[in-house]
Amino acid sequence: MRVGRRDKLGPRGERVAARYLRRKGYKVLGKNLETRFGEADLLCEGLGGCIVVVEVKARRFREGTPPPQASVTLTKRQRLARILEHLVNKNDWQGRPRRVDVVAIEFRSRGWLGPKPTVKHFENAVLKGGGAR
């Protein structure tokens, strides 16, 4: 990527993920929330009042490459767990269920009007302590 040129794929993926989650009954409470531990792509309220930090990974599909969710490393999972706990404490949500989800999106075409992207939702993708499920 050239300096000064921002790829539009990330924000597009976040919009697709937010729309997908709303259709599943989630309420989007915030987008691109900056904390001292890093950024939460989406903050949602799931069914039963569950607080959900959502990591969105969007990629252009290329045969033979790893899926988007493969890029959520151990370090990233640990950071997401810290971001979730920070937001829970900051908003006094200690008594509510909470988890970290990953939404992986693959775009099959560069064009804006290409085929619908493939969306995969991994609930509770990060367990307590930052490990993967």
Side-chain angles (χ1 to χ4, degrees), residues 56-85:
V56 179
K57 290 296 180 186
R59 299 281 183 270
R60 288 183 183 89
F61 176 80
R62 289 187 180 87
E63 193 68 44
T65 61
Q69 65 271 19
S71 66
V72 183
T73 64
L74 175 60
T75 301
K76 182 65 174 183
R77 292 190 304 267
Q78 291 170 335
R79 185 175 298 130
L80 290 166
R82 285 194 301 270
I83 291 167
L84 174 60
E85 291 308 311

PDB file of all heavy atoms in Angstrom, residues 56-85:
ATOM      1  N   VAL A  56     -13.063  -7.547  13.397  1.00  0.00           N
ATOM      2  CA  VAL A  56     -13.453  -7.769  12.007  1.00  0.00           C
ATOM      3  C   VAL A  56     -12.191  -7.946  11.171  1.00  0.00           C
ATOM      4  O   VAL A  56     -11.271  -7.124  11.230  1.00  0.00           O
ATOM      5  CB  VAL A  56     -14.287  -6.589  11.461  1.00  0.00           C
ATOM      6  CG1 VAL A  56     -14.655  -6.825   9.998  1.00  0.00           C
ATOM      7  CG2 VAL A  56     -15.528  -6.358  12.317  1.00  0.00           C
ATOM      8  N   LYS A  57     -12.143  -9.028  10.417  1.00  0.00           N
ATOM      9  CA  LYS A  57     -11.026  -9.297   9.509  1.00  0.00           C
ATOM     10  C   LYS A  57     -11.587  -9.446   8.106  1.00  0.00           C
ATOM     11  O   LYS A  57     -12.381 -10.352   7.835  1.00  0.00           O
ATOM     12  CB  LYS A  57     -10.268 -10.573   9.914  1.00  0.00           C
ATOM     13  CG  LYS A  57      -9.484 -10.422  11.180  1.00  0.00           C
ATOM     14  CD  LYS A  57      -8.398  -9.390  10.965  1.00  0.00           C
ATOM     15  CE  LYS A  57      -7.564  -9.170  12.200  1.00  0.00           C
ATOM     16  NZ  LYS A  57      -6.618  -8.088  12.016  1.00  0.00           N
ATOM     17  N   ALA A  58     -11.209  -8.545   7.224  1.00  0.00           N
ATOM     18  CA  ALA A  58     -11.694  -8.567   5.845  1.00  0.00           C
ATOM     19  C   ALA A  58     -10.512  -8.758   4.900  1.00  0.00           C
ATOM     20  O   ALA A  58      -9.450  -8.149   5.086  1.00  0.00           O
ATOM     21  CB  ALA A  58     -12.419  -7.264   5.522  1.00  0.00           C
ATOM     22  N   ARG A  59     -10.709  -9.602   3.904  1.00  0.00           N
ATOM     23  CA  ARG A  59      -9.663  -9.883   2.916  1.00  0.00           C
ATOM     24  C   ARG A  59     -10.292 -10.051   1.544  1.00  0.00           C
ATOM     25  O   ARG A  59     -11.444 -10.441   1.421  1.00  0.00           O
ATOM     26  CB  ARG A  59      -8.926 -11.195   3.247  1.00  0.00           C
ATOM     27  CG  ARG A  59      -8.215 -11.221   4.570  1.00  0.00           C
ATOM     28  CD  ARG A  59      -6.891 -10.486   4.492  1.00  0.00           C
ATOM     29  NE  ARG A  59      -6.169 -10.575   5.738  1.00  0.00           N
ATOM     30  CZ  ARG A  59      -6.258  -9.722   6.746  1.00  0.00           C
ATOM     31  NH1 ARG A  59      -7.076  -8.714   6.666  1.00  0.00           N
ATOM     32  NH2 ARG A  59      -5.541  -9.869   7.831  1.00  0.00           N
ATOM     33  N   ARG A  60      -9.490  -9.803   0.538  1.00  0.00           N
ATOM     34  CA  ARG A  60      -9.878 -10.166  -0.821  1.00  0.00           C
ATOM     35  C   ARG A  60      -9.522 -11.640  -0.993  1.00  0.00           C
ATOM     36  O   ARG A  60      -8.421 -12.049  -0.631  1.00  0.00           O
ATOM     37  CB  ARG A  60      -9.133  -9.322  -1.844  1.00  0.00           C
ATOM     38  CG  ARG A  60      -9.621  -7.898  -1.870  1.00  0.00           C
ATOM     39  CD  ARG A  60      -8.914  -7.081  -2.946  1.00  0.00           C
ATOM     40  NE  ARG A  60      -9.373  -5.712  -2.888  1.00  0.00           N
ATOM     41  CZ  ARG A  60      -8.813  -4.770  -2.132  1.00  0.00           C
ATOM     42  NH1 ARG A  60      -7.755  -5.044  -1.389  1.00  0.00           N
ATOM     43  NH2 ARG A  60      -9.300  -3.552  -2.117  1.00  0.00           N
ATOM     44  N   PHE A  61     -10.439 -12.399  -1.524  1.00  0.00           N
ATOM     45  CA  PHE A  61     -10.212 -13.826  -1.699  1.00  0.00           C
ATOM     46  C   PHE A  61      -9.110 -14.055  -2.735  1.00  0.00           C
ATOM     47  O   PHE A  61      -9.126 -13.495  -3.817  1.00  0.00           O
ATOM     48  CB  PHE A  61     -11.491 -14.530  -2.154  1.00  0.00           C
ATOM     49  CG  PHE A  61     -11.277 -15.984  -2.442  1.00  0.00           C
ATOM     50  CD1 PHE A  61     -11.224 -16.906  -1.418  1.00  0.00           C
ATOM     51  CD2 PHE A  61     -11.104 -16.425  -3.747  1.00  0.00           C
ATOM     52  CE1 PHE A  61     -11.025 -18.250  -1.678  1.00  0.00           C
ATOM     53  CE2 PHE A  61     -10.907 -17.768  -4.016  1.00  0.00           C
ATOM     54  CZ  PHE A  61     -10.862 -18.676  -2.991  1.00  0.00           C
ATOM     55  N   ARG A  62      -8.166 -14.892  -2.360  1.00  0.00           N
ATOM     56  CA  ARG A  62      -7.127 -15.351  -3.278  1.00  0.00           C
ATOM     57  C   ARG A  62      -6.921 -16.835  -3.001  1.00  0.00           C
ATOM     58  O   ARG A  62      -6.700 -17.230  -1.855  1.00  0.00           O
ATOM     59  CB  ARG A  62      -5.828 -14.584  -3.063  1.00  0.00           C
ATOM     60  CG  ARG A  62      -5.911 -13.147  -3.527  1.00  0.00           C
ATOM     61  CD  ARG A  62      -4.548 -12.460  -3.463  1.00  0.00           C
ATOM     62  NE  ARG A  62      -4.646 -11.089  -3.902  1.00  0.00           N
ATOM     63  CZ  ARG A  62      -4.951 -10.051  -3.131  1.00  0.00           C
ATOM     64  NH1 ARG A  62      -5.190 -10.239  -1.850  1.00  0.00           N
ATOM     65  NH2 ARG A  62      -5.018  -8.836  -3.627  1.00  0.00           N
ATOM     66  N   GLU A  63      -7.014 -17.629  -4.044  1.00  0.00           N
ATOM     67  CA  GLU A  63      -6.854 -19.086  -3.913  1.00  0.00           C
ATOM     68  C   GLU A  63      -5.527 -19.416  -3.236  1.00  0.00           C
ATOM     69  O   GLU A  63      -4.483 -18.854  -3.573  1.00  0.00           O
ATOM     70  CB  GLU A  63      -6.906 -19.732  -5.311  1.00  0.00           C
ATOM     71  CG  GLU A  63      -7.060 -21.225  -5.268  1.00  0.00           C
ATOM     72  CD  GLU A  63      -8.411 -21.669  -4.755  1.00  0.00           C
ATOM     73  OE1 GLU A  63      -9.428 -21.091  -5.171  1.00  0.00           O
ATOM     74  OE2 GLU A  63      -8.438 -22.592  -3.922  1.00  0.00           O
ATOM     75  N   GLY A  64      -5.569 -20.310  -2.257  1.00  0.00           N
ATOM     76  CA  GLY A  64      -4.354 -20.775  -1.604  1.00  0.00           C
ATOM     77  C   GLY A  64      -3.857 -19.921  -0.449  1.00  0.00           C
ATOM     78  O   GLY A  64      -2.855 -20.251   0.170  1.00  0.00           O
ATOM     79  N   THR A  65      -4.549 -18.829  -0.132  1.00  0.00           N
ATOM     80  CA  THR A  65      -4.121 -18.008   0.994  1.00  0.00           C
ATOM     81  C   THR A  65      -4.960 -18.346   2.227  1.00  0.00           C
ATOM     82  O   THR A  65      -6.090 -18.821   2.100  1.00  0.00           O
ATOM     83  CB  THR A  65      -4.247 -16.503   0.688  1.00  0.00           C
ATOM     84  OG1 THR A  65      -5.616 -16.200   0.425  1.00  0.00           O
ATOM     85  CG2 THR A  65      -3.385 -16.103  -0.504  1.00  0.00           C
ATOM     86  N   PRO A  66      -4.417 -18.100   3.414  1.00  0.00           N
ATOM     87  CA  PRO A  66      -5.171 -18.402   4.634  1.00  0.00           C
ATOM     88  C   PRO A  66      -6.435 -17.543   4.728  1.00  0.00           C
ATOM     89  O   PRO A  66      -6.468 -16.431   4.202  1.00  0.00           O
ATOM     90  CB  PRO A  66      -4.202 -18.042   5.767  1.00  0.00           C
ATOM     91  CG  PRO A  66      -2.868 -17.922   5.137  1.00  0.00           C
ATOM     92  CD  PRO A  66      -3.078 -17.594   3.703  1.00  0.00           C
ATOM     93  N   PRO A  67      -7.454 -18.046   5.416  1.00  0.00           N
ATOM     94  CA  PRO A  67      -8.679 -17.256   5.592  1.00  0.00           C
ATOM     95  C   PRO A  67      -8.421 -16.062   6.507  1.00  0.00           C
ATOM     96  O   PRO A  67      -7.441 -16.045   7.263  1.00  0.00           O
ATOM     97  CB  PRO A  67      -9.641 -18.255   6.230  1.00  0.00           C
ATOM     98  CG  PRO A  67      -8.760 -19.226   6.930  1.00  0.00           C
ATOM     99  CD  PRO A  67      -7.512 -19.328   6.093  1.00  0.00           C
ATOM    100  N   PRO A  68      -9.287 -15.056   6.474  1.00  0.00           N
ATOM    101  CA  PRO A  68      -9.062 -13.840   7.272  1.00  0.00           C
ATOM    102  C   PRO A  68      -8.895 -14.110   8.768  1.00  0.00           C
ATOM    103  O   PRO A  68      -8.053 -13.496   9.422  1.00  0.00           O
ATOM    104  CB  PRO A  68     -10.312 -12.999   7.013  1.00  0.00           C
ATOM    105  CG  PRO A  68     -10.973 -13.579   5.829  1.00  0.00           C
ATOM    106  CD  PRO A  68     -10.513 -14.982   5.687  1.00  0.00           C
ATOM    107  N   GLN A  69      -9.679 -15.037   9.314  1.00  0.00           N
ATOM    108  CA  GLN A  69      -9.617 -15.299  10.755  1.00  0.00           C
ATOM    109  C   GLN A  69      -8.267 -15.842  11.198  1.00  0.00           C
ATOM    110  O   GLN A  69      -7.908 -15.749  12.372  1.00  0.00           O
ATOM    111  CB  GLN A  69     -10.750 -16.234  11.192  1.00  0.00           C
ATOM    112  CG  GLN A  69     -10.701 -17.630  10.632  1.00  0.00           C
ATOM    113  CD  GLN A  69     -11.406 -17.793   9.305  1.00  0.00           C
ATOM    114  OE1 GLN A  69     -11.658 -16.835   8.590  1.00  0.00           O
ATOM    115  NE2 GLN A  69     -11.727 -19.041   8.964  1.00  0.00           N
ATOM    116  N   ALA A  70      -7.480 -16.368  10.273  1.00  0.00           N
ATOM    117  CA  ALA A  70      -6.158 -16.898  10.620  1.00  0.00           C
ATOM    118  C   ALA A  70      -5.200 -15.802  11.069  1.00  0.00           C
ATOM    119  O   ALA A  70      -4.200 -16.083  11.718  1.00  0.00           O
ATOM    120  CB  ALA A  70      -5.567 -17.653   9.432  1.00  0.00           C
ATOM    121  N   SER A  71      -5.527 -14.547  10.754  1.00  0.00           N
ATOM    122  CA  SER A  71      -4.636 -13.452  11.132  1.00  0.00           C
ATOM    123  C   SER A  71      -4.880 -12.930  12.552  1.00  0.00           C
ATOM    124  O   SER A  71      -4.229 -11.984  12.989  1.00  0.00           O
ATOM    125  CB  SER A  71      -4.738 -12.303  10.122  1.00  0.00           C
ATOM    126  OG  SER A  71      -6.029 -11.732  10.172  1.00  0.00           O
ATOM    127  N   VAL A  72      -5.797 -13.559  13.290  1.00  0.00           N
ATOM    128  CA  VAL A  72      -6.022 -13.169  14.684  1.00  0.00           C
ATOM    129  C   VAL A  72      -5.049 -13.983  15.532  1.00  0.00           C
ATOM    130  O   VAL A  72      -5.329 -15.105  15.941  1.00  0.00           O
ATOM    131  CB  VAL A  72      -7.490 -13.380  15.114  1.00  0.00           C
ATOM    132  CG1 VAL A  72      -7.700 -12.890  16.548  1.00  0.00           C
ATOM    133  CG2 VAL A  72      -8.432 -12.652  14.173  1.00  0.00           C
ATOM    134  N   THR A  73      -3.898 -13.394  15.787  1.00  0.00           N
ATOM    135  CA  THR A  73      -2.802 -14.060  16.491  1.00  0.00           C
ATOM    136  C   THR A  73      -3.055 -14.139  17.995  1.00  0.00           C
ATOM    137  O   THR A  73      -3.973 -13.493  18.510  1.00  0.00           O
ATOM    138  CB  THR A  73      -1.492 -13.292  16.258  1.00  0.00           C
ATOM    139  OG1 THR A  73      -1.636 -11.979  16.856  1.00  0.00           O
ATOM    140  CG2 THR A  73      -1.168 -13.150  14.776  1.00  0.00           C
ATOM    141  N   LEU A  74      -2.218 -14.894  18.693  1.00  0.00           N
ATOM    142  CA  LEU A  74      -2.306 -14.969  20.148  1.00  0.00           C
ATOM    143  C   LEU A  74      -2.179 -13.584  20.769  1.00  0.00           C
ATOM    144  O   LEU A  74      -2.954 -13.221  21.661  1.00  0.00           O
ATOM    145  CB  LEU A  74      -1.221 -15.894  20.708  1.00  0.00           C
ATOM    146  CG  LEU A  74      -1.127 -15.954  22.234  1.00  0.00           C
ATOM    147  CD1 LEU A  74      -2.427 -16.445  22.846  1.00  0.00           C
ATOM    148  CD2 LEU A  74       0.042 -16.810  22.657  1.00  0.00           C
ATOM    149  N   THR A  75      -1.247 -12.789  20.290  1.00  0.00           N
ATOM    150  CA  THR A  75      -1.069 -11.421  20.816  1.00  0.00           C
ATOM    151  C   THR A  75      -2.336 -10.603  20.617  1.00  0.00           C
ATOM    152  O   THR A  75      -2.776  -9.892  21.523  1.00  0.00           O
ATOM    153  CB  THR A  75       0.126 -10.732  20.124  1.00  0.00           C
ATOM    154  OG1 THR A  75       1.296 -11.505  20.365  1.00  0.00           O
ATOM    155  CG2 THR A  75       0.335  -9.327  20.632  1.00  0.00           C
ATOM    156  N   LYS A  76      -2.953 -10.713  19.446  1.00  0.00           N
ATOM    157  CA  LYS A  76      -4.188  -9.973  19.166  1.00  0.00           C
ATOM    158  C   LYS A  76      -5.318 -10.470  20.059  1.00  0.00           C
ATOM    159  O   LYS A  76      -6.096  -9.672  20.594  1.00  0.00           O
ATOM    160  CB  LYS A  76      -4.560 -10.121  17.684  1.00  0.00           C
ATOM    161  CG  LYS A  76      -5.801  -9.351  17.286  1.00  0.00           C
ATOM    162  CD  LYS A  76      -5.572  -7.849  17.417  1.00  0.00           C
ATOM    163  CE  LYS A  76      -6.764  -7.087  16.888  1.00  0.00           C
ATOM    164  NZ  LYS A  76      -6.557  -5.642  16.923  1.00  0.00           N
ATOM    165  N   ARG A  77      -5.427 -11.770  20.262  1.00  0.00           N
ATOM    166  CA  ARG A  77      -6.474 -12.315  21.131  1.00  0.00           C
ATOM    167  C   ARG A  77      -6.312 -11.806  22.558  1.00  0.00           C
ATOM    168  O   ARG A  77      -7.289 -11.450  23.217  1.00  0.00           O
ATOM    169  CB  ARG A  77      -6.462 -13.838  21.089  1.00  0.00           C
ATOM    170  CG  ARG A  77      -6.904 -14.381  19.733  1.00  0.00           C
ATOM    171  CD  ARG A  77      -7.124 -15.879  19.751  1.00  0.00           C
ATOM    172  NE  ARG A  77      -5.987 -16.655  20.184  1.00  0.00           N
ATOM    173  CZ  ARG A  77      -5.065 -17.169  19.387  1.00  0.00           C
ATOM    174  NH1 ARG A  77      -5.129 -16.965  18.087  1.00  0.00           N
ATOM    175  NH2 ARG A  77      -4.080 -17.884  19.870  1.00  0.00           N
ATOM    176  N   GLN A  78      -5.078 -11.753  23.045  1.00  0.00           N
ATOM    177  CA  GLN A  78      -4.832 -11.242  24.389  1.00  0.00           C
ATOM    178  C   GLN A  78      -5.201  -9.761  24.482  1.00  0.00           C
ATOM    179  O   GLN A  78      -5.804  -9.319  25.458  1.00  0.00           O
ATOM    180  CB  GLN A  78      -3.368 -11.460  24.764  1.00  0.00           C
ATOM    181  CG  GLN A  78      -3.029 -12.916  24.965  1.00  0.00           C
ATOM    182  CD  GLN A  78      -1.542 -13.178  25.093  1.00  0.00           C
ATOM    183  OE1 GLN A  78      -0.714 -12.408  24.609  1.00  0.00           O
ATOM    184  NE2 GLN A  78      -1.194 -14.294  25.717  1.00  0.00           N
ATOM    185  N   ARG A  79      -4.871  -9.010  23.448  1.00  0.00           N
ATOM    186  CA  ARG A  79      -5.201  -7.579  23.419  1.00  0.00           C
ATOM    187  C   ARG A  79      -6.722  -7.389  23.411  1.00  0.00           C
ATOM    188  O   ARG A  79      -7.252  -6.531  24.116  1.00  0.00           O
ATOM    189  CB  ARG A  79      -4.574  -6.913  22.201  1.00  0.00           C
ATOM    190  CG  ARG A  79      -4.783  -5.411  22.170  1.00  0.00           C
ATOM    191  CD  ARG A  79      -4.062  -4.726  21.030  1.00  0.00           C
ATOM    192  NE  ARG A  79      -2.629  -4.924  21.175  1.00  0.00           N
ATOM    193  CZ  ARG A  79      -1.832  -5.366  20.198  1.00  0.00           C
ATOM    194  NH1 ARG A  79      -2.327  -5.639  19.006  1.00  0.00           N
ATOM    195  NH2 ARG A  79      -0.548  -5.519  20.402  1.00  0.00           N
ATOM    196  N   LEU A  80      -7.424  -8.187  22.635  1.00  0.00           N
ATOM    197  CA  LEU A  80      -8.886  -8.083  22.582  1.00  0.00           C
ATOM    198  C   LEU A  80      -9.514  -8.386  23.944  1.00  0.00           C
ATOM    199  O   LEU A  80     -10.474  -7.731  24.354  1.00  0.00           O
ATOM    200  CB  LEU A  80      -9.440  -9.025  21.511  1.00  0.00           C
ATOM    201  CG  LEU A  80      -9.144  -8.627  20.067  1.00  0.00           C
ATOM    202  CD1 LEU A  80      -9.435  -9.793  19.126  1.00  0.00           C
ATOM    203  CD2 LEU A  80      -9.924  -7.390  19.670  1.00  0.00           C
ATOM    204  N   ALA A  81      -8.984  -9.371  24.641  1.00  0.00           N
ATOM    205  CA  ALA A  81      -9.485  -9.694  25.981  1.00  0.00           C
ATOM    206  C   ALA A  81      -9.276  -8.518  26.933  1.00  0.00           C
ATOM    207  O   ALA A  81     -10.161  -8.192  27.734  1.00  0.00           O
ATOM    208  CB  ALA A  81      -8.806 -10.954  26.509  1.00  0.00           C
ATOM    209  N   ARG A  82      -8.121  -7.851  26.837  1.00  0.00           N
ATOM    210  CA  ARG A  82      -7.862  -6.668  27.684  1.00  0.00           C
ATOM    211  C   ARG A  82      -8.788  -5.512  27.312  1.00  0.00           C
ATOM    212  O   ARG A  82      -9.277  -4.800  28.194  1.00  0.00           O
ATOM    213  CB  ARG A  82      -6.401  -6.242  27.577  1.00  0.00           C
ATOM    214  CG  ARG A  82      -5.460  -7.144  28.342  1.00  0.00           C
ATOM    215  CD  ARG A  82      -4.084  -6.535  28.515  1.00  0.00           C
ATOM    216  NE  ARG A  82      -3.422  -6.230  27.264  1.00  0.00           N
ATOM    217  CZ  ARG A  82      -2.630  -7.045  26.584  1.00  0.00           C
ATOM    218  NH1 ARG A  82      -2.390  -8.255  27.034  1.00  0.00           N
ATOM    219  NH2 ARG A  82      -2.063  -6.666  25.462  1.00  0.00           N
ATOM    220  N   ILE A  83      -9.027  -5.315  26.022  1.00  0.00           N
ATOM    221  CA  ILE A  83      -9.933  -4.247  25.575  1.00  0.00           C
ATOM    222  C   ILE A  83     -11.338  -4.499  26.127  1.00  0.00           C
ATOM    223  O   ILE A  83     -11.984  -3.582  26.646  1.00  0.00           O
ATOM    224  CB  ILE A  83      -9.953  -4.163  24.028  1.00  0.00           C
ATOM    225  CG1 ILE A  83      -8.616  -3.638  23.509  1.00  0.00           C
ATOM    226  CG2 ILE A  83     -11.107  -3.288  23.541  1.00  0.00           C
ATOM    227  CD1 ILE A  83      -8.426  -3.800  22.009  1.00  0.00           C
ATOM    228  N   LEU A  84     -11.797  -5.744  26.040  1.00  0.00           N
ATOM    229  CA  LEU A  84     -13.123  -6.088  26.555  1.00  0.00           C
ATOM    230  C   LEU A  84     -13.223  -5.789  28.047  1.00  0.00           C
ATOM    231  O   LEU A  84     -14.165  -5.136  28.494  1.00  0.00           O
ATOM    232  CB  LEU A  84     -13.432  -7.558  26.287  1.00  0.00           C
ATOM    233  CG  LEU A  84     -14.725  -8.096  26.897  1.00  0.00           C
ATOM    234  CD1 LEU A  84     -15.937  -7.350  26.377  1.00  0.00           C
ATOM    235  CD2 LEU A  84     -14.847  -9.591  26.634  1.00  0.00           C
ATOM    236  N   GLU A  85     -12.251  -6.247  28.827  1.00  0.00           N
ATOM    237  CA  GLU A  85     -12.294  -6.010  30.275  1.00  0.00           C
ATOM    238  C   GLU A  85     -12.241  -4.513  30.596  1.00  0.00           C
ATOM    239  O   GLU A  85     -12.936  -4.053  31.500  1.00  0.00           O
ATOM    240  CB  GLU A  85     -11.180  -6.770  30.982  1.00  0.00           C
ATOM    241  CG  GLU A  85     -11.391  -8.275  30.969  1.00  0.00           C
ATOM    242  CD  GLU A  85     -12.768  -8.703  31.477  1.00  0.00           C
ATOM    243  OE1 GLU A  85     -13.199  -8.245  32.562  1.00  0.00           O
ATOM    244  OE2 GLU A  85     -13.429  -9.492  30.779  1.00  0.00           O
TER     245      GLU A  85
END
